[in-house]
Amino acid sequence: MKKFLTLLAALVCILVLAEVGVYSDKIVVGSFQALSGSYAIIGQEMSKGMKAYFNWVNKNSGVYGRKIELIIADDQLNPSKTVVEVKRLVESDKVFAIVGGLGTYGCLAVMDYLEQNKVPFVYQGAGTSLLVMPPKKYIFGVQPDYTLEGQLIAKFLVKELGKKKIAILYMANDIGKEGYAAALSRLQSYNLKHVVEISYNPAETDYSALAVDVLNANPEAIIIYGLITDTIRWIKTLRDYGVTSDIVTIYPNADPSFVTLGGKYVEGIYLTGWVPLATPDKPEFVRDYERAVAIFQETYPKEIPSSYAVAGFIAAEVFVQGLLRAGSDLTREGLVKALETFDHWNGILAKDITWGPNLRRGKSSMYFIKIENGVFVPVTDLISLQD
């Protein structure tokens, strides 16, 4: 009887000490993506990037002998579905962490729930600064947020291109308003005022009347804080009206669809980026990109990863690096402390990632691209507000 009680006590101790989602042979993690519905192309591609990287890790003995088991919930980019699916992942599937959730409003909808339940949430496919400002213990952002991006755009125009007369066009929604406020704040720090601002509805199909206001203001440069369809509509309208000003917009990661949809109109347009391009003058980036493609093609033969797949790849690689730093006795608290040790960390595709005890904005630098002869050409190295 005494021996039985001793064994029972040991078993209870093991059960108490065991971390949710962590087993002797695997780590169970969750994600939410739009796998069906209107935005499925984004969610499916981002999922591919995560799966490819995790498959490669698992093929190479996992993390301290544990394989990573990924459960992806389909929320269709619907925040109400996101809440239901994330609660299921946490309470029923018992995931250790959430990695790579997609969509600003879905991420915001589950942010407080995950924080209150002490579930690490690593990488959000979203741009709102509300996820990382003020910092929350269990929420780790990677992508540059709209506030950082807006300030860097203003800095690029003033400090790199020497522009002083700047117009700001922005969507009348949370994304546009945050970017507008950030750009305006940075311009004011240089004692500059924008010459015109236009808040617009991205669903409208005719910006002709608004374009006249831009033409009359005669800006040296124009910031467009919009999505791909309305941004290209703006560029075409402005160019047709004879506006020749330099234009900077936020469409990220050099997605070829921007050139395909914009054609000759997008020649000379500047864009922001945070994943460095693999160009001949940067052989180290070429080497990293080729390695990432090889890893991706182990799961998806002959496919080239899209920009959304790259995002998923980065989400997975920063998470795995956190696991490696956390050690074999893995806990959620240990992962948090490990992620806080990132100091300008570079992975295969992830570059310049920094977190700390009071810092959850993982990316504080971006670079700028220009479209020349239909090709994306880097015009700066990674720059930060402190440079």
Side-chain angles (χ1 to χ4, degrees), residues 221-352:
I222 301 167
I223 299 171
I224 302 179
Y225 234 90
L227 301 177
I228 182 171
T229 51
D230 49 283
T231 295
I232 289 175
R233 189 180 305 126
W234 261 117
I235 292 170
K236 288 181 177 180
T237 304
L238 291 170
R239 294 304 190 229
D240 284 344
Y241 270 70
V243 178
T244 59
S245 316
D246 284 328
I247 296 175
V248 183
T249 188
I250 66 171
Y251 197 63
N253 295 342
D255 194 304
S257 62
F258 192 85
V259 174
T260 301
L261 293 171
K264 65 179 183 179
Y265 285 94
V266 298
E267 276 293 309
I269 299 298
Y270 293 98
L271 302 98
T272 57
W274 61 279
V275 181
L277 289 177
T279 52
D281 60 319
K282 299 288 185 180
E284 68 276 20
F285 293 155
V286 173
R287 187 166 54 248
D288 288 340
Y289 178 72
E290 290 175 346
R291 185 182 178 198
V293 171
I295 291 170
F296 187 80
Q297 290 182 342
E298 286 187 17
T299 298
Y300 303 101
K302 299 182 180 180
E303 288 191 34
I304 299 298
S306 67
S307 60
Y308 303 118
V310 165
F313 188 102
I314 291 173
E317 73 165 336
V318 296
F319 176 69
V320 168
Q321 178 65 20
L323 294 179
L324 291 168
R325 294 187 182 203
S328 58
D329 297 326
L330 183 61
T331 65
R332 287 170 170 170
E333 297 303 316
L335 175 64
V336 168
K337 291 180 180 178
L339 292 170
E340 289 179 340
T341 67
F342 279 50
D343 185 7
H344 300 285
W345 177 75
N346 294 326
I348 300 173
L349 292 180
K351 303 296 180 186
D352 197 28

Side-chain angles (χ1 to χ4, degrees), residues 31-240:
S31 184
F32 54 92
Q33 302 289 329
L35 300 180
S36 61
S38 303
Y39 299 94
I41 184 61
I42 300 175
Q44 290 172 2
E45 287 296 304
M46 190 168 177
S47 297
K48 282 184 177 181
M50 286 191 289
K51 288 178 181 177
Y53 190 85
F54 286 148
N55 286 348
W56 176 70
V57 170
N58 291 341
K59 183 179 178 181
N60 290 277
S61 302
V63 182
Y64 299 109
R66 297 185 179 104
K67 303 295 177 67
I68 298 173
E69 180 181 311
L70 176 64
I71 302 174
I72 302 178
D74 179 12
D75 70 344
Q76 299 181 332
L77 213 70
N78 181 333
S80 61
K81 289 182 178 291
T82 309
V83 172
V84 172
E85 293 298 337
V86 168
K87 286 185 175 180
R88 179 181 62 77
L89 288 168
V90 172
E91 297 171 17
S92 297
D93 295 317
K94 305 293 184 183
V95 299
F96 170 70
I98 300 293
V99 181
L102 174 65
T104 293
Y105 295 112
C107 290
L108 288 175
V110 299
M111 175 182 70
D112 290 340
Y113 169 79
L114 294 172
E115 182 74 7
Q116 290 163 7
N117 286 274
K118 302 180 179 180
V119 181
F121 184 12
V122 181
Y123 192 109
Q124 299 82 46
T128 175
S129 62
L130 294 175
L131 290 161
V132 295
M133 301 290 286
K136 288 154 278 289
K137 182 175 180 180
Y138 298 94
I139 314 298
F140 289 82
V142 175
Q143 293 186 187
D145 57 72
Y146 300 128
T147 293
L148 173 71
E149 188 172 41
Q151 292 188 48
L152 285 175
I153 289 173
K155 178 180 179 179
F156 169 71
L157 286 175
V158 175
K159 296 299 184 180
E160 298 288 333
L161 300 186
K163 306 299 183 181
K164 294 182 178 180
K165 296 177 60 180
I166 297 170
I168 307 176
L169 318 181
Y170 64 98
M171 299 181 292
N173 58 22
D174 293 346
I175 295 172
K177 291 175 182 177
E178 181 175 339
Y180 159 75
L184 184 62
S185 173
R186 195 68 182 182
L187 288 178
Q188 290 172 342
S189 74
Y190 300 134
N191 295 316
L192 295 175
K193 293 182 178 179
H194 55 304
V195 295
V196 67
E197 66 174 72
I198 295 176
S199 174
Y200 68 89
N201 180 353
E204 291 183 1
T205 57
D206 187 356
Y207 297 145
S208 299
L210 297 174
V212 173
D213 293 335
V214 180
L215 181 64
N216 290 336
N218 191 29
E220 295 176 325
I222 301 167
I223 299 171
I224 302 179
Y225 234 90
L227 301 177
I228 182 171
T229 51
D230 49 283
T231 295
I232 289 175
R233 189 180 305 126
W234 261 117
I235 292 170
K236 288 181 177 180
T237 304
L238 291 170
R239 294 304 190 229
D240 284 344

